[in-house]
Amino acid sequence: GDSVTQMEGPVTLSEEAFLTINCTYTATGYPSLFWYVQYPGEGLQLLLKATKADDKGSNKGFEATYRKETTSFHLEKGSVQVSDSAVYFCAHTGGTSYGKLTFGQGTILTVHP
Amino acid sequence: DTGVSQDPRHKITKRGQNVTFRCDPISEHNRLYWYRQTLGQGPEFLTYFQNEAQLEKSRLLSDRFSAERPKGSFSTLEIQRTEQGDSAMYLCASSFPTSGVTDTQYFGPGTRLTVL
């Protein structure tokens, strides 16, 4: 069935470090891929998305590339800030026509000054 | 754009009681979704509406759960005879379908349910 697997966390980094959060998926059809972020005390927000193979989504310095051959959508940022501390969720639509999302379990990121 | 709103934000109830949650989507959005999120996990899909029609329900949505969207605007999620295992954050999301592009779901702040 459809699923998303994220790297186990939590992840703790120093400010300005490089960030990678791995995400792999299984899906029927041709899903769209998403990264959502949940800041402390706030709701889920879309961070970036990619709708077809080899597309790169980017926002706020974060990037992720849709890799169909490896069924992956790893999140990267070259230099993290304390304000990036949050929970990050990878998700996909599983090829449905209306966009039902299947989420990973989330990765907690803590960035220290 | 006031965003997706949910009410109440928190609900504490005793086992066996019924509870109802409300979701108000972004005004022009005709797609509405309910998800459930337990501690340390990602959200899990519960059900989906297009306008007033409920088009899909997850197996997670037992007979004790019912959702409605009577006029294609706000939606309610009712849980009857609550159990401790129902304790979770209930999230609502809405979207507007964009031709040829997967529409983006916008999430509300959630209703946190605690069943004692």
Side-chain angles (χ1 to χ4, degrees):
Chain A
D2 294 345
S3 66
V4 175
T5 302
Q6 292 182 229
M7 66 183 292
E8 293 186 10
V11 175
T12 303
L13 296 173
S14 297
E15 205 165 25
E16 299 183 2
F18 183 85
L19 168 71
T20 299
I21 301 178
N22 289 338
C23 171
T24 57
Y25 67 91
T26 59
T28 53
Y30 302 95
S32 293
L33 304 176
F34 302 81
W35 279 99
Y36 277 84
V37 60
Q38 191 167 36
Y39 297 103
E42 298 185 17
L44 277 169
Q45 302 174 24
L46 178 68
L47 181 59
L48 53 83
K49 71 178 184 182
T51 58
K52 60 183 187 297
D54 300 324
D55 269 2
K56 177 184 285 188
S58 61
N59 186 27
K60 299 182 181 180
F62 290 88
E63 294 183 339
T65 301
Y66 189 141
R67 300 290 188 196
K68 187 178 178 183
E69 64 276 11
T70 55
T71 62
S72 65
F73 193 54
H74 305 320
L75 182 69
E76 296 182 336
K77 186 174 186 181
S79 176
V80 294
Q81 305 300 311
V82 172
S83 58
D84 294 327
S85 298
V87 184
Y88 292 81
F89 294 92
C90 185
H92 71 64
T93 55
T96 60
S97 62
Y98 61 86
K100 174 180 82 173
L101 289 169
T102 297
F103 285 87
Q105 76 273 27
T107 300
I108 299 172
L109 171 65
T110 303
V111 181
H112 293 296
Chain B
D1 180 0
T2 57
V4 178
S5 61
Q6 294 186 245
D7 184 71
R9 295 291 303 275
H10 303 273
K11 179 70 177 178
I12 300 174
T13 191
K14 293 182 179 179
R15 189 176 55 186
Q17 298 296 304
N18 300 342
V19 294
T20 300
F21 311 140
R22 177 179 171 123
C23 170
D24 286 272
I26 294 171
S27 60
E28 66 269 24
H29 286 188
N30 62 349
R31 290 180 171 173
L32 187 146
Y33 309 78
W34 285 98
Y35 294 84
R36 181 171 68 187
Q37 185 178 18
T38 53
L39 199 62
Q41 300 297 316
E44 295 175 294
F45 171 80
L46 292 179
T47 190
Y48 155 68
F49 290 86
Q50 173 121 358
N51 299 311
E52 66 276 8
Q54 188 175 19
L55 298 185
E56 185 171 342
K57 293 192 294 185
S58 164
R59 287 170 294 176
L60 292 174
L61 217 62
S62 75
D63 291 344
R64 297 184 297 106
F65 289 71
S66 63
E68 294 183 343
R69 194 182 183 198
K71 297 183 179 180
S73 57
F74 74 91
S75 175
T76 57
L77 178 68
E78 180 183 16
I79 309 174
Q80 296 182 328
R81 305 180 303 282
T82 52
E83 302 173 355
Q84 288 184 328
D86 297 331
S87 295
M89 178 76 86
Y90 290 84
L91 299 171
C92 177
S94 70
S95 69
F96 184 82
T98 305
S99 176
V101 177
T102 299
D103 49 308
T104 296
Q105 292 182 37
Y106 295 86
F107 282 81
T111 294
R112 181 169 296 283
L113 173 66
T114 302
V115 181
L116 302 177

